[in-house]
Amino acid sequence: MILLDIINNNVTFVLPLKFGNYGEISMKSFSEEKFKEVYKKGKFNDLDYVLTQFTGNQLAFRYTKPGYDASEKLIYVDSSLKSLITKNTYEGKQYY
């Protein structure tokens, strides 16, 4: 339910963490030069880059711990959620 809410409603889910740690799950957009860079490496090869205007989206988990740099991990989802993200990308939905 949380992932569907993030995909469909463009929300950021903030995880309830303790001791000053911060974690969130949201959509990450790859556009223009960054899109071209990851496309050459094989990511988003299922997308038509002209129709998506050189844009691809993927779920990401961001984590920050006091005194450390923030880290980010991409979340890989099943085919039904991936096709929903692809559909939204083709329809021009923008994630921030």
Side-chain angles (χ1 to χ4, degrees), residues 39-52:
Y39 188 84
K40 287 179 185 177
K41 294 178 182 177
K43 188 170 202 58
F44 303 123
N45 281 344
D46 57 332
L47 294 178
D48 182 333
Y49 54 84
V50 175
L51 292 176
T52 62

Side-chain angles (χ1 to χ4, degrees), residues 70-87:
S71 60
E72 179 179 83
K73 298 289 182 188
L74 297 177
I75 299 172
Y76 294 91
V77 295
D78 65 359
S79 60
S80 64
L81 289 178
K82 186 174 180 180
S83 65
L84 182 58
I85 294 169
T86 301
K87 177 182 158 284

Side-chain angles (χ1 to χ4, degrees), residues 6 11-15 17 21-30 58-65 69-75 95-96:
I6 293 168
V11 299
T12 299
F13 179 72
V14 179
L15 299 160
L17 302 175
N21 299 329
Y22 178 80
E24 69 178 28
I25 300 173
S26 62
M27 292 297 289
K28 178 176 180 162
S29 291
F30 296 86
Q58 186 168 1
L59 288 165
F61 169 68
R62 291 175 196 82
Y63 180 77
T64 304
K65 192 173 184 177
D69 291 336
S71 60
E72 179 179 83
K73 298 289 182 188
L74 297 177
I75 299 172
Y95 296 99
Y96 53 91

Side-chain angles (χ1 to χ4, degrees), residues 2-21:
I2 293 170
L3 296 180
L4 282 173
D5 196 26
I6 293 168
I7 294 167
N8 291 327
N9 302 319
N10 196 16
V11 299
T12 299
F13 179 72
V14 179
L15 299 160
L17 302 175
K18 295 181 180 181
F19 310 114
N21 299 329

